[in-house]
Amino acid sequence: MTNSLLILPGDGIGPEVMAEVRKIIDWFEDKRGIAFEVSEDLVGGCAYDKHGTPLHDDTMAKAQEVDAVLLGAVGGPKYDNLDFSVKPERGLLRLRKEMDLFANLRPAQCFDALADFSSLKKDVVAGLDIMIVRELTSGVYFGEPRGIIEEGNERVGINTQRYTESEIERVCRAAFDLAMKRGKKLCSMEKANVMESGVLWREVATRVGQDYPEVELSHMYADAGAMQLTRWPKQFDVIVTDNLFGDLLSDLAAMLTGSLGMLPSASLGAPMANGRPKALYEPVHGSAPDIAGQGKANPSACILSFAMALRYSFDKGEEATRLEKAVEAVLAKGLRTADLLNVEGATPVSTSEMGDAVIEALNESL
Ligand code: IPM
Ligand code: MG
């Protein structure tokens, strides 16, 4: 089977972190004999600059055809005043929606070498390894009606939280499947105390849970979940939640680990004809325009996103682990990009030096 990959570096630090991923892809081709058919295109502000839209229809069509899309980051201050419909973020949201990538996997893993870097006490985060499964194609992000309307002599901003049973069911199933492969614990988070969509969410999660008797299912209000995540995050294994709560909780969980610069994500949809899921991989961090083009960005999150692609799209779990271990080894050696420099005894490295160090660690793994 061929392995087709569409690379969308995007804006800000996207292109520079993606350049490091290209080195890693080449390494897997050369040294592990895994061939990739790589194409590259625009998304976000750079696509707007060229085409007047953050995602050209041709790019959308390409994304639908490939085995996996790897995205850098979108957005920047230059685009802040654009109309909502052509903002860089709309490009990303269109990919998620049209590819129907309903399950967004956001691991929050604390690397040993970075445990001191978290704003929480070391014993709270050391060894942390949790997975947030965020629903990505529905809820208040997409619900209708939406908009800003005139009412009397003022304007009203409207968004709608809306979930069908089948939307809840499929993301819960994905989360239960993951829990089976991990610690067999799943916590579902909503606000069933104030939202009908939360009541339905809890009911459907419980029903799906009957098919997974081995998984210990618990429920938590999302606000309490945020509190528990900061109090004692190691109580969790897999968390499943809706689009907006997942957006918030995954940023929170990310910061437990010390740096957004380390965290990858996978957004998965239904299986395609070849059995592989529709998939888009991207770092959790944004385009960080303030440090773009200065060699300060940490390419690890994007590199680890490619590792997730190896695991979930290309059925190369062992090679994914090899890559994850290589990143860990580089951290253990004390190499640090600018985002991680406060750690004592760190050796500062640039974006490309970090990528080179990962390649070196991969070579050592052979
Ligand atoms: C994320 C981001 C996006 C979101 C933005 C860039 C549209 O915050 O992936 O978490 O809100 O989903
Ligand atoms: Mg977010």
Side-chain angles (χ1 to χ4, degrees), residues 50-352:
K50 177 143 186 231
H51 303 299
T53 164
L55 188 73
H56 195 277
D57 288 345
D58 294 348
T59 317
M60 186 66 242
K62 254 191 252 172
Q64 296 282 19
E65 275 162 26
V66 292
D67 293 317
V69 179
L70 189 61
L71 188 140
V74 295
K78 183 177 160 195
Y79 309 104
D80 279 352
N81 296 322
L82 284 183
D83 185 73
F84 210 67
S85 61
V86 288
K87 273 193 188 298
E89 290 78 5
R90 300 309 301 178
L92 177 56
L93 294 172
R94 181 175 175 201
L95 282 164
R96 290 174 178 173
K97 186 69 180 170
E98 291 192 22
M99 292 170 75
D100 204 16
L101 306 170
F102 59 87
N104 180 215
L105 279 44
R106 298 191 163 186
Q109 204 186 340
C110 184
F111 292 89
D112 283 343
L114 298 182
D116 281 321
F117 198 70
S118 173
S119 48
L120 297 191
K121 291 195 193 93
K122 186 170 178 173
D123 70 311
V124 176
V125 296
L128 179 71
D129 179 8
I130 60 179
M131 176 74 87
I132 296 193
V133 180
R134 167 189 175 191
E135 199 291 324
L136 202 60
T137 52
S138 185
V140 75
Y141 270 59
F142 297 98
E144 298 283 346
R146 66 183 298 166
I148 300 178
I149 61 164
E150 303 277 344
E151 208 176 84
N153 52 8
E154 64 173 354
R155 294 179 304 156
V156 185
I158 300 173
N159 291 92
T160 303
Q161 166 84 336
R162 183 180 192 278
Y163 270 108
T164 65
E165 284 187 280
S166 53
E167 285 170 341
I168 302 169
E169 173 160 351
R170 63 183 187 171
V171 73
C172 285
R173 247 176 228 292
F176 274 107
D177 286 339
L178 264 171
M180 282 299 288
K181 292 188 198 138
R182 295 175 44 105
K184 300 196 173 155
K185 257 169 64 177
L186 177 63
C187 182
S188 168
M189 295 188 186
E190 24 59 17
K191 277 192 58 86
N193 50 343
V194 284
M195 297 165 77
E196 283 78 1
S197 59
V199 173
L200 188 65
W201 186 285
R202 189 173 285 220
E203 206 183 292
V204 174
T206 305
R207 190 173 72 215
V208 174
Q210 289 165 358
D211 294 343
Y212 299 84
E214 282 176 60
V215 177
E216 181 196 314
L217 172 68
S218 59
H219 305 274
M220 217 178 260
Y221 298 140
D223 54 344
M227 185 266 283
Q228 291 295 343
L229 264 171
T230 31
R231 192 185 67 81
W232 190 243
K234 283 186 255 184
Q235 69 187 282
F236 298 109
D237 175 24
V238 181
I239 292 171
V240 64
T241 189
D242 76 12
N243 204 343
L244 183 60
F245 293 144
D247 183 41
L248 300 175
L249 294 171
S250 63
D251 264 27
L252 192 158
M255 212 49 220
L256 300 175
T257 70
S259 170
L260 274 178
M262 294 303 306
L263 296 177
S265 77
S267 304
L268 307 176
M272 300 183 284
N274 63 8
R276 291 172 171 176
K278 279 259 162 80
L280 179 144
Y281 301 87
E282 58 178 316
V284 169
H285 64 67
S287 61
D290 51 322
I291 59 162
Q294 301 168 35
K296 286 185 180 168
N298 185 350
S300 303
C302 204
I303 291 173
L304 292 171
S305 298
F306 176 64
M308 290 187 93
L310 286 170
R311 177 171 294 118
Y312 295 109
S313 284
F314 302 121
D315 202 19
K316 295 271 185 275
E318 278 172 31
E319 299 300 334
T321 306
R322 178 194 299 281
L323 180 51
E324 287 157 356
K325 289 223 155 76
V327 172
E328 214 175 327
V330 170
L331 287 178
K333 283 181 194 159
L335 271 58
R336 301 283 184 270
T337 39
D339 55 320
L340 300 173
L341 264 186
N342 307 5
V343 181
E344 218 176 302
T347 310
V349 291
S350 68
T351 307
S352 69

